[in-house]
Amino acid sequence: MTLRLARWTALAFALAACQGAPEVQANLARRPNIVFILTDDHAAHAIGAYNSIYPSVTPNIDALAADGALFTNTFCGNSICAPSRATILTGLHSHAHGVRGNSETFDGTLATFPQRLQDAGYQTALIGKWHLRSDPTGFDSWDVLPGQGHYYNPDFKTATGSQQREGYVTDIITDLAIDWLHTERSDDEPFLLMVQHKAPHREWMPGPEHHALFEGRDLPEPATLFDDYEGRASVARDSEMSIADHLWEFYDLKVAPADDAELTGPDRWAQGRLDRMSPDQREAWRRAYEPRNAAFRNANLQGDDLVRWKYQRYMKDYLRCVAAVDDGIGELLETLDDLELSDDTLVIYCSDQGFYLGDHGWYDKRWMYEESLRMPLVMKWPRVIDPGTRIEALTQNTDFAATLLDVAGVETPMDTHGASLLPFMSGTTPPAWRDAVYYHYTEYPQPHRVARHVGVRTDRYKLISYYEHGEWELFDLADDPDELRSVHDEPAYRDVRAALALRLEELRIEYGDTVP
Ligand code: CA
């Protein structure tokens, strides 16, 4: 385990240019446009191209992967929204950019890849969800949802003011992006267009076009829906993010209460979402959900049957939200074709982290377990990436900034914890690459009582320290891909455990993180 992270320099760019085919060398010298599509909480295992157990609602993302590259081992360093977004922009782990949790404000004076691309002559635009509290910097124009934003008739904020737009948020963001390509884009310089969706973030409100998707049929259940949390650290069973006990009936599950019911918790906010709707939107919603809700009440489900019903409601609404995102990606790709931009544009699809889709009995993210640690990452760039490329190297959201500067040939140094992925994209293998990814989650106790933890993942093993509880977990992913049995205390794993603990400490020191 001696590999060191290659510091981002133009080295990777030069390397790829030297080793690639002549046409690839020539194409790397051109500065491509970049369309960076980011969703919120879209798990890789909800995407057909990642062998999802669900019927695919992502034909356009699947096609993007078939036409370009699918990264199978991309991980976040802290599985919540704002920290991962700040990491994507800066290439730094959470402790270094300062956004450790969702309530911290991003320092807009930090070096980011959009700002560096803007300095290098790129036209830069941001549309959609920002979620970093401070106003965006490094963009020629931005038009963003304040905070989490709303699914229906959302407010948008620009440098000059705010306005409410009527419609479904995913469709509006898609339309704004397409309008930007048609009317705002300059022909004189390459562009960076960041299209950032709210979907499929909680509270999973589908748009009118997808209300009926999957109705009348059951989705498959994950193998660990009824996980009992045996064989692992005690902290997992103390968290509050289970399908069984921690979904709110009105807010999350869309079951309206009786007229005289007293609302508590997030259910108090749910009426406000419905009140934002126009009469037509409200009627479409009522027609879709009220008959299902009446059937649910009449069934008076209990125990595991009730958990199964909640899972189905949650999962269908989640995938309905994804379906609208995928439709929008299809429209955006068509627009690039229509404008004859596709060959010269790198299109990236990713999400800020993964999500539990009933896995381990949960929704939400935060834990270092695979389902929320893994990020989907798909790229298409016809001039450089061969169709059907699969990249299995350990990659991380810290790599995105270095990659996009490398792609644009920007040599301005930028402190980063990541490295450029361009060699992988252009069909070469860097002489040295990371052997482990670093993770540190600290947002505790609220909102979901997930214990603080730090950890390291290699291609086969994962070591996690719940340092405030004095507990550890070690998983052998080859034998136990669902992470159901920690082998931390098994004598056979003594050497593996020691090597991983050493690697974790080396990475902590290399990145300058502190662990109490
Ligand atoms: Ca997120």
Side-chain angles (χ1 to χ4, degrees):
M1 295 196 187
T2 55
L3 182 142
R4 292 278 158 249
L5 279 176
R7 267 279 185 263
W8 130 255
T9 62
L11 172 67
F13 186 86
L15 195 74
C18 292
Q19 295 180 357
E23 62 273 25
V24 172
Q25 294 176 34
N27 291 332
L28 282 170
R30 304 160 69 130
R31 302 202 300 171
N33 306 307
I34 300 165
V35 174
F36 185 91
I37 307 166
L38 179 73
T39 45
D40 199 331
D41 294 359
H42 189 194
H45 60 306
I47 295 175
Y50 282 93
N51 299 320
S52 171
I53 64 171
Y54 307 106
S56 179
V57 295
T58 55
N60 291 299
I61 299 173
D62 300 346
L64 199 66
D67 293 343
L70 180 81
F71 289 76
T72 60
N73 286 305
T74 299
F75 302 104
C76 58
N78 181 5
S79 183
I80 41 176
C81 309
S84 180
R85 286 156 187 269
T87 292
I88 287 169
L89 291 169
T90 62
L92 300 171
H93 279 289
S94 301
H95 64 278
H97 60 57
V99 181
R100 292 182 173 84
N102 281 332
S103 57
E104 278 128 0
T105 300
F106 180 65
D107 176 359
T109 67
L110 290 173
T112 65
F113 81 83
Q115 169 245 310
R116 289 293 161 97
L117 290 178
Q118 185 184 42
D119 289 347
Y122 268 71
Q123 184 186 11
T124 58
L126 166 68
I127 293 165
K129 186 166 181 180
W130 176 241
H131 198 238
L132 288 170
R133 292 180 180 267
S134 54
D135 283 348
T137 53
F139 296 96
D140 299 328
S141 64
W142 49 272
D143 197 342
V144 300
L145 302 169
Q148 293 283 2
H150 287 281
Y151 272 107
Y152 279 84
N153 305 334
D155 300 317
F156 282 80
K157 181 182 176 192
T158 67
T160 55
S162 298
Q163 65 167 307
Q164 186 175 12
R165 291 187 170 99
E166 181 161 342
Y168 183 62
V169 67
T170 305
D171 301 338
I172 294 170
I173 291 169
T174 296
D175 289 346
L176 288 171
I178 290 171
D179 282 351
W180 186 90
L181 286 168
H182 280 295
T183 62
E184 302 292 323
R185 178 182 55 88
S186 162
D187 281 329
D188 302 332
E189 53 197 3
F191 66 82
L192 164 71
L193 173 61
M194 298 183 79
V195 184
Q196 308 202 155
H197 287 288
K198 168 184 174 63
H201 191 276
R202 192 184 185 187
E203 61 283 14
W204 318 296
M205 290 180 78
E209 287 175 43
H210 299 101
H211 283 166
L213 183 62
F214 298 128
E215 205 47 35
R217 60 193 283 200
D218 281 347
L219 293 169
E221 294 173 0
T224 59
L225 181 59
F226 293 97
D227 195 346
D228 61 8
Y229 311 117
E230 290 295 316
R232 279 150 283 165
S234 68
V235 291
R237 68 186 65 125
D238 295 333
S239 66
E240 295 178 350
M241 47 190 271
S242 75
I243 300 285
D245 298 323
H246 305 109
L247 287 172
W248 293 85
E249 197 164 277
F250 190 18
Y251 181 73
D252 291 314
L253 298 171
K254 288 85 176 183
V255 179
D259 287 343
D260 56 351
E262 187 178 342
L263 299 179
T264 60
D267 276 352
R268 286 170 299 158
W269 312 327
Q271 186 61 42
R273 299 176 322 198
L274 299 179
D275 291 345
R276 292 187 71 85
M277 293 181 175
S278 69
D280 286 351
Q281 292 167 343
R282 188 78 175 267
E283 178 58 18
W285 186 268
R286 193 193 63 74
R287 275 209 301 266
Y289 283 86
E290 280 199 4
R292 302 171 198 167
N293 292 346
F296 164 66
R297 285 206 191 82
N298 288 337
N300 192 27
L301 301 171
Q302 306 291 328
D304 287 355
D305 289 340
L306 179 57
V307 174
R308 291 199 155 96
W309 183 90
K310 290 180 178 180
Y311 165 75
Q312 292 292 331
R313 172 59 62 93
Y314 155 61
M315 201 58 230
K316 288 177 187 177
D317 281 346
Y318 180 96
L319 292 177
R320 289 165 180 153
C321 290
V322 171
V325 168
D326 192 79
D327 287 351
I329 291 172
E331 291 174 33
L332 203 52
L333 294 175
E334 263 182 40
T335 304
L336 293 174
D337 281 345
D338 292 345
L339 295 170
E340 299 183 347
L341 292 169
S342 294
D343 283 351
D344 284 314
T345 300
L346 166 61
V347 178
I348 298 178
Y349 177 78
C350 64
S351 179
D352 52 0
Q353 6 72 207
F355 214 66
Y356 296 97
L357 309 177
D359 317 282
H360 300 292
W362 292 328
Y363 67 98
D364 209 73
K365 50 250 183 182
R366 301 166 193 280
W367 299 100
M368 198 188 164
Y369 305 127
E370 293 292 273
E371 294 86 354
S372 60
L373 179 68
R374 176 171 282 110
M375 302 165 68
L377 178 61
V378 177
M379 298 184 185
K380 179 186 173 187
W381 184 10
R383 289 199 193 281
V384 171
I385 301 174
D386 286 339
T389 298
R390 284 179 73 89
I391 296 162
E392 294 177 0
L394 296 172
T395 54
Q396 207 159 10
N397 52 355
T398 50
D399 297 327
F400 292 14
T403 302
L404 293 174
L405 296 186
D406 203 1
V407 158
V410 178
E411 297 188 18
T412 317
M414 183 170 144
D415 284 340
T416 180
H417 294 145
S420 173
L421 304 177
L422 183 56
F424 296 112
M425 294 156 60
S426 58
T428 62
T429 302
W433 192 250
R434 72 166 62 83
D435 63 346
V437 298
Y438 182 75
Y439 188 86
H440 193 180
Y441 170 84
T442 58
E443 192 173 70
Y444 179 82
Q446 294 306 326
H448 291 282
R449 301 195 67 81
V450 172
R452 295 188 177 104
H453 55 289
V454 64
V456 62
R457 186 200 190 280
T458 66
D459 59 353
R460 176 163 176 182
Y461 299 106
K462 185 185 296 180
L463 180 73
I464 308 173
S465 166
Y466 301 97
Y467 48 84
E468 292 181 324
H469 297 75
E471 293 190 89
W472 292 80
E473 288 175 331
L474 170 60
F475 296 103
D476 183 339
L477 299 170
D479 288 347
D480 179 22
D482 287 336
E483 300 167 288
L484 297 174
R485 184 174 67 93
S486 171
V487 294
H488 183 266
D489 297 328
E490 293 187 12
Y493 286 88
R494 189 182 59 191
D495 292 346
V496 170
R497 184 175 66 221
L500 286 167
L502 176 63
R503 196 73 190 98
L504 177 58
E505 183 63 2
E506 287 173 350
L507 288 175
R508 184 192 68 74
I509 292 168
E510 178 174 338
Y511 296 139
D513 195 10
T514 52
V515 178

